[in-house]
Amino acid sequence: MGKVKIKKSDVWIDMTPMSDVMVLLLTFFMLTSTFVKQEPVKVNTPGSVSEIKVPENNVLNILVSNDGKIFMNMDKTTDVQAVLADVTGQFGISLSGDQQKKFVDDPMWGVPMNDLQSYLSLAKTKMPEAIKKYGIPTDSVPGKTGDAAMSEFQLWVKAAHAANPDAKIAIKADEKTPYKTVKKIMSELQDMNENRYYLITQYKKTED
């Protein structure tokens, strides 16, 4: 009896629908993702059971390192530009177009006004390492009166609210940050009648 030969046929699968789905998923994640700016120092926040979420937009972020250095940023480029123009104007500091662009492109700012020009004159590759040794001062500006008698920290906060009155304040401090530093920040905010702000922590379950 002769063998029955089964005709072999190639199986062809149309991958077009799968490609469409992958593109749609990629587009979805690109549009819904929130890009986190690189922070100049690593901060390990303390644990908390609070589930209150910090807003993603219109926020003045205050970062406090474990050795007490203070840095800030805002999520809108136009706000950062307005804040820079406000504070440098009060100190009579003139920045070049390239220096202004470096400031806006920097993930966070945190350099004393006396060192701002020299810092912004550095190459971009050197700025991330250089900013770590600075920090916004919380001491009153010497020889100034009126608003200028405020600390540089307070001047930055005031300028931020002038640029964006709806901006919320969020403080992110390291779990090893000295208590006196955090208390100083809160006291300076209270002196400005800024009594509402978020304290950023990492979520910790009660059973932990």
Side-chain angles (χ1 to χ4, degrees):
M1 182 177 179
K3 294 183 178 178
V4 178
K5 293 184 178 180
I6 301 176
K7 186 179 180 181
K8 295 182 178 179
S9 60
D10 294 332
V11 178
W12 182 79
I13 300 175
D14 187 3
M15 299 296 292
T16 303
M18 182 175 293
S19 300
D20 292 340
V21 171
M22 291 300 296
V23 172
L24 288 174
L25 287 174
L26 179 61
T27 304
F28 170 78
F29 286 121
M30 289 177 64
L31 294 176
T32 58
S33 298
T34 301
F35 295 95
V36 179
K37 293 185 176 181
Q38 181 182 357
E39 297 175 344
V41 292
K42 185 178 180 180
V43 170
N44 296 316
T45 54
S48 170
V49 295
S50 174
E51 296 186 47
I52 300 176
K53 292 185 178 180
V54 179
E56 295 182 358
N57 301 315
N58 296 323
V59 178
L60 170 62
N61 292 293
I62 300 174
L63 182 74
V64 190
S65 65
N66 56 8
D67 56 355
K69 292 185 175 67
I70 301 172
F71 306 92
M72 295 182 180
N73 78 354
M74 299 184 78
D75 54 287
K76 294 183 179 179
T77 301
T78 52
D79 291 344
V80 177
Q81 292 172 331
V83 170
L84 176 63
D86 188 336
V87 178
T88 53
Q90 294 185 52
F91 282 82
I93 296 175
S94 179
L95 300 177
S96 66
D98 184 57
Q99 289 174 325
Q100 293 179 32
K101 187 177 186 304
K102 284 182 179 179
F103 185 93
V104 173
D105 292 342
D106 223 6
M108 303 196 85
W109 70 81
V111 177
M113 297 306 296
N114 291 337
D115 301 309
L116 185 60
Q117 286 179 307
S118 58
Y119 168 73
L120 293 175
S121 298
L122 296 173
K124 275 192 173 183
T125 54
K126 296 182 178 180
M127 290 172 64
E129 188 63 30
I131 196 175
K132 295 179 181 180
K133 68 179 183 180
Y134 293 110
I136 300 174
T138 55
D139 300 325
S140 298
V141 179
K144 302 289 184 178
T145 58
D147 286 346
M150 304 167 71
S151 68
E152 290 187 22
F153 170 79
Q154 290 175 318
L155 290 175
W156 284 111
V157 174
K158 183 177 180 181
H161 265 186
N164 186 351
D166 296 326
K168 306 294 189 299
I169 297 176
I171 302 174
K172 183 179 180 180
D174 193 275
E175 60 183 355
K176 295 182 180 179
T177 300
Y179 172 72
K180 63 179 182 179
T181 302
V182 179
K183 183 179 179 182
K184 175 68 174 175
I185 293 173
M186 292 180 177
S187 297
E188 297 222 341
L189 291 174
Q190 289 175 350
D191 291 342
M192 303 172 64
N193 293 321
E194 297 286 354
N195 299 312
R196 295 178 65 87
Y197 41 81
Y198 295 91
L199 293 176
I200 300 177
T201 58
Q202 55 181 324
Y203 183 69
K204 182 180 179 181
K205 296 181 180 179
T206 53
E207 58 265 23
D208 294 341

